[in-house]
Amino acid sequence: MGDKAYILVLNGPNLNLLGKRQPEIYGSRTLDDILADLRSHFAARIRIADFQSNSEDRLITWIQDYGFDEHCLGIVLNAGAYTHTSLAIADAIAAVPAPVVEVHLSNIFARESVRHTSYIAPVCAGSISGFGEDSYFLAVEALLRKKHR
Ligand code: DQA
């Protein structure tokens, strides 16, 4: 793994509200708290870049822009509610060579039935759901294992 290698963590709509958004479901820590812990946990092994947007358009553009970068080992994606609606994000994931790991803080299969369908799961390398912020750690760990790339 070269010095330029990195993993991109993308967060979609409403994940900027972590910490104050339904803490009984999503926990009390902010996205910045989680990302800081993620970076320090993996500091010796991989660089972590991240973006968050409430816009489907921006998420697709980041997948397109970074998904072809040879230094991008993979993308960890919490697409928020777009998970359950966006064929366009699924198409972007399918279009790029970088493996994408779908993550959710909550267990989407233990919630309302509308959340049981993921448009992106079939085109992702794998999905991790229900482990709170640990879902992100497990996704990065999976991408660091060469066989999942
Ligand atoms: C989520 C689950 C989605 O159903 C929801 O719309 C979110 C967050 C999660 O991390 O648990 O915004 O992706």
Side-chain angles (χ1 to χ4, degrees):
M1 233 177 271
D3 283 352
K4 291 183 178 169
Y6 65 93
I7 285 173
L8 178 64
V9 178
L10 287 182
N11 281 284
N14 300 308
L15 292 157
N16 54 314
L17 296 181
L18 286 182
K20 52 187 171 193
R21 172 193 184 197
Q22 295 176 288
E24 66 287 2
I25 297 175
Y26 299 114
S28 56
R29 303 193 71 229
T30 67
L31 186 56
D32 281 349
D33 292 339
I34 295 170
L35 288 166
D37 279 2
L38 203 60
R39 286 198 171 92
S40 69
H41 183 83
F42 288 103
R45 296 166 70 196
I46 193 73
R47 192 163 64 82
I48 292 177
D50 87 280
F51 298 110
Q52 186 277 332
S53 179
N54 296 324
S55 145
E56 190 174 18
D57 166 342
R58 296 190 76 186
L59 293 166
I60 290 168
T61 301
W62 286 323
I63 293 166
Q64 291 181 359
D65 286 350
Y66 292 91
F68 286 103
D69 180 0
E70 62 177 311
H71 302 298
C72 180
L73 290 194
I75 299 173
V76 173
L77 173 63
N78 187 343
Y82 291 139
T83 304
H84 318 297
T85 62
S86 183
L87 187 56
I89 291 179
D91 282 350
I93 294 168
V96 300
V100 177
V101 179
E102 172 187 13
V103 301
H104 302 285
L105 295 137
S106 63
N107 179 351
I108 58 172
F109 302 102
R111 300 183 62 191
E112 310 96 295
S113 58
V114 71
R115 295 182 204 274
H116 298 180
T117 300
S118 169
Y119 277 63
I120 67 173
V123 289
C124 284
S127 303
I128 300 170
S129 168
F131 295 99
E133 64 193 81
D134 288 347
S135 292
Y136 292 89
F137 287 71
L138 295 167
V140 171
E141 194 64 56
L143 286 170
L144 288 173
R145 293 177 174 254
K146 206 166 179 182
K147 60 187 171 191
H148 300 308
R149 280 190 257 133

